[in-house]
Amino acid sequence: MLVDCQSFYASVEKAAHPQYKNKPVVVAGDPARRSGIVLAACPLAKKKGVVTAERLGEAMGKCPDLIVLKPQMQFYIDVSFQITRLLETFTDLVEPYSIDEQFLDLTNTQHLFGAPEYIAEQIQEKIMDATGVYTRIGISYCKVVAKMACDNFAKKNKKGIFGLPKKDLQAVLWPLPIHKLFLVGSRMNTHLLRLGIHTIGDLANTPLSKLREKWGVNGELLWKIAKGLDASPVTPQTHEMQKGIGHQMTLPRDYWSKTELEVILLELTELVCRRCRTKGYMGSVISVGCRGANFDRPTGFHRQKKIAAPTNVTNEVYETVRQLFYTHWDGSPIRSLGVSLTQLVSDHEFQLSWFDPFEKDRSLEKATDGLKDRYGDAIIMRAVSVAEAGQAKDRAAKIGGHYK
C-alpha cells in the first residue's frame, strides 16, 4: 500500500485550528522573501483555483478570503512520525517515502486484519481520529504500482481507496496518458510524445532496445514502470543508506559580490560537513552548484571534483568549494547555491599525516558541533555569518527553510 496524506501541511493546520474548518486555507512561506509561495492548499482553496507552488499573491487574487498560515515544520514532522507509529500497528514494514507518503507491506500481517480494502479503511479511520488528516491509499502487488494506483485513482474517488491487481494492469493503467506514469515530468512527456508514445500502454509495448538507445538506463526504468515491474522491497531503513549529503539555499535577494557569495558558500560547507560528522561520514567528491537570478533565461552550473583523501573538515572542503565556484562562475548574479559531499565512507578510520592538522581540526569542529547540539545552531558561528550577507543566524531558527 501507499498511504498519502491529503494536502498534508494544510490538513494538519486545519486540524489544529477548528475555527478554519470551513474556510480556504493555505500554508505559505514568508511573502517578503522568495519563499512566498503556496506550500499546501486545502481542498476548499483548490476549488477556488489555488495550486501548490504558485506565488502567494496570485493565490490571494483567486481567493480573497484565503487564510494564510506560516509553516510549522517541526509540527508537521512530529505528525508524520505519529502517522508512522500508527501504521506500524498494522505491519513492521513501513517505509516513509516523503513527509506525507508512506509505503506498507502487509503480506505477512494481512491475515490479522482482513481484506486489503478493509485494512485501508481501518488505516484511514485510525489516522483521521488521531491527527485529523485524511489519507488516500493505493493498493497493489508492488510499490510503484501502488503509488500510481494512489495518484491516478485513489485521489480521485470518493472513498480515497483504490486497489490495482496485476491482472488489471493493462485494462486500467495502460490507457492513461503517458504523463500519468510515475517519474514522467513535463520535459520527458514532450520527448515521449515526439516518439509517438501517447499512453502508458504505448510505452510498455515499445521495444526496450529503442528506449535503451534513446535514454539508457532511464529508458529501461520507465519501461519497467509502465509494465509494473518493481522488485524493490518496503524497507524501513531505506533512508539510512545515504550516498551523499548536501544542502541548497535560495537566497533572499540577488547576490553579486565575491564577498557575499563566499559567506554563503562557507555557511553551506559548514552545514554539510557538520551533517557528515553527525552521521559519521567523510566524503571524497565535492560538488558545487548555482542558479542565476534571471528567471526568464536561467543560468548556472553544477560541477564536482574528487579530492585526494576523504574529509569532513569544513576548511578543507571549503577550499575546493571556493576553487570550483570561481572556476565556473561567469560573474552573473546568483539566486541559489548548493554544496554536497558524495562517495561517503565511515569517519572511524582515516590516514594520519605529519603535515596535516586533520585530527586537530576535527577535534575543534566536534567541540563546536557539541555546543550547537546542546544550545542551538546560533550559540556559536563564524564571524562572517554576522555580516549582512550571512544566513546562518536566520536559518538557525528554521527547519527545512521555514520557521519552526
Side-chain angles (χ1 to χ4, degrees):
M1 295 185 181
L2 178 78
V3 177
D4 171 87
C5 300
Q6 182 184 51
S7 306
F8 183 56
Y9 298 169
S11 295
V12 172
E13 291 289 356
K14 292 190 82 166
H17 300 91
Q19 67 270 32
Y20 299 144
K21 181 179 179 180
N22 297 313
K23 296 182 180 296
V25 170
V26 297
V27 175
D30 185 354
R33 299 168 67 96
R34 277 193 175 129
S35 53
I37 60 172
V38 174
L39 302 176
C42 77
L44 290 176
K46 289 179 178 178
K47 284 183 179 180
K48 299 287 185 71
V50 177
V51 296
T52 302
E54 75 175 328
R55 295 185 180 278
L56 189 55
E58 296 172 2
M60 297 186 74
K62 298 174 182 176
C63 182
D65 59 339
L66 195 64
I67 305 296
V68 181
L69 301 175
K70 286 189 176 182
Q72 304 180 77
M73 297 309 297
Q74 187 60 59
F75 184 28
Y76 309 147
I77 292 169
D78 292 342
V79 174
S80 181
F81 277 124
Q82 183 183 2
I83 291 171
T84 302
R85 301 289 88 81
L86 292 172
L87 295 176
E88 287 173 342
T89 64
F90 292 89
T91 173
D92 59 342
L93 296 177
V94 179
E95 177 185 333
Y97 180 65
S98 65
I99 195 171
D100 62 347
E101 293 179 291
Q102 311 202 38
F103 284 109
L104 291 79
D105 184 346
L106 292 130
T107 305
N108 297 319
T109 57
Q110 180 186 334
H111 67 282
L112 299 173
F113 302 103
E117 187 166 321
Y118 177 67
I119 296 174
E121 291 172 353
Q122 290 183 72
I123 289 172
Q124 283 184 324
E125 183 177 347
K126 200 167 187 177
I127 293 174
M128 175 60 76
D129 289 345
T131 68
V133 175
Y134 175 63
T135 54
R136 291 79 59 89
I137 302 173
I139 309 169
S140 197
Y141 60 94
C142 69
K143 287 161 66 176
V144 73
V145 180
K147 168 72 172 166
M148 291 189 288
C150 182
D151 289 348
N152 293 308
F153 302 105
K155 290 183 179 182
K156 295 174 173 61
N157 68 32
K158 190 173 182 179
K159 291 188 69 174
I161 298 170
F162 191 85
L164 182 53
K166 194 170 188 177
K167 64 181 179 64
D168 293 342
L169 198 70
Q170 295 187 25
V172 176
L173 189 66
W174 284 14
L176 295 182
I178 191 61
H179 70 268
K180 297 291 186 180
L181 185 74
F182 178 56
L183 293 184
V184 171
S186 58
R187 184 174 297 179
M188 179 56 73
N189 180 59
T190 301
H191 290 315
L192 291 167
L193 292 176
R194 286 174 181 168
L195 290 179
I197 299 173
H198 297 274
T199 66
I200 295 176
D202 290 342
L203 180 61
N205 291 314
T206 300
L208 178 55
S209 58
K210 182 178 180 180
L211 298 171
R212 277 180 178 158
E213 181 181 351
K214 186 74 175 175
W215 293 297
V217 67
N218 291 327
E220 182 174 353
L221 176 62
L222 291 177
W223 181 81
K224 285 183 175 180
I225 293 173
K227 284 187 167 291
L229 302 175
D230 179 15
S232 62
V234 173
T235 311
Q237 298 83 22
T238 186
H239 298 293
E240 296 176 8
M241 300 176 283
Q242 283 192 275
K243 294 183 178 179
I245 292 176
H247 196 86
Q248 185 269 340
M249 183 189 302
T250 299
L251 303 172
R253 55 179 173 80
D254 299 344
Y255 277 44
W256 295 73
S257 74
K258 290 183 179 181
T259 303
E260 290 184 326
L261 290 166
E262 286 181 4
V263 171
I264 301 301
L265 288 171
L266 181 55
E267 289 183 345
L268 287 170
T269 303
E270 186 165 44
L271 179 62
V272 169
C273 289
R274 181 187 171 199
R275 287 171 59 191
C276 283
R277 293 190 295 268
T278 300
K279 293 175 179 289
Y281 291 124
M282 299 185 296
S284 56
V285 174
I286 299 170
S287 302
V288 179
C290 73
R291 295 186 66 188
N294 190 329
F295 285 88
D296 298 323
R297 295 186 178 181
T299 59
F301 63 85
H302 185 276
R303 296 291 185 273
Q304 64 183 34
K305 180 179 180 179
K306 187 175 177 65
I307 55 178
T311 185
N312 57 19
V313 173
T314 301
N315 287 344
E316 290 184 9
V317 175
Y318 176 64
E319 286 304 312
T320 301
V321 165
R322 192 171 176 275
Q323 177 189 348
L324 275 171
F325 180 76
Y326 285 130
T327 300
H328 301 285
W329 180 44
D330 63 3
S332 300
I334 299 297
R335 72 176 182 188
S336 70
L337 284 167
V339 171
S340 65
L341 269 175
T342 54
Q343 289 195 12
L344 302 178
V345 297
S346 171
D347 68 353
H348 295 312
E349 298 180 5
F350 54 89
Q351 181 67 47
L352 291 174
S353 169
W354 290 108
F355 311 104
D356 188 351
F358 178 82
E359 185 60 23
K360 179 181 177 181
D361 292 341
R362 193 167 85 143
S363 298
L364 174 62
E365 294 199 319
K366 280 189 174 181
T368 58
D369 290 347
L371 287 170
K372 291 180 179 181
D373 292 341
R374 187 171 181 181
Y375 300 108
D377 290 354
I379 193 65
I380 184 170
M381 61 181 64
R382 293 172 184 262
V384 293
S385 293
V386 185
E388 183 184 353
Q391 297 297 302
K393 188 174 182 179
D394 181 63
R395 193 180 61 245
K398 297 179 178 181
I399 294 178
H402 302 286
Y403 288 102
K404 302 174 185 178

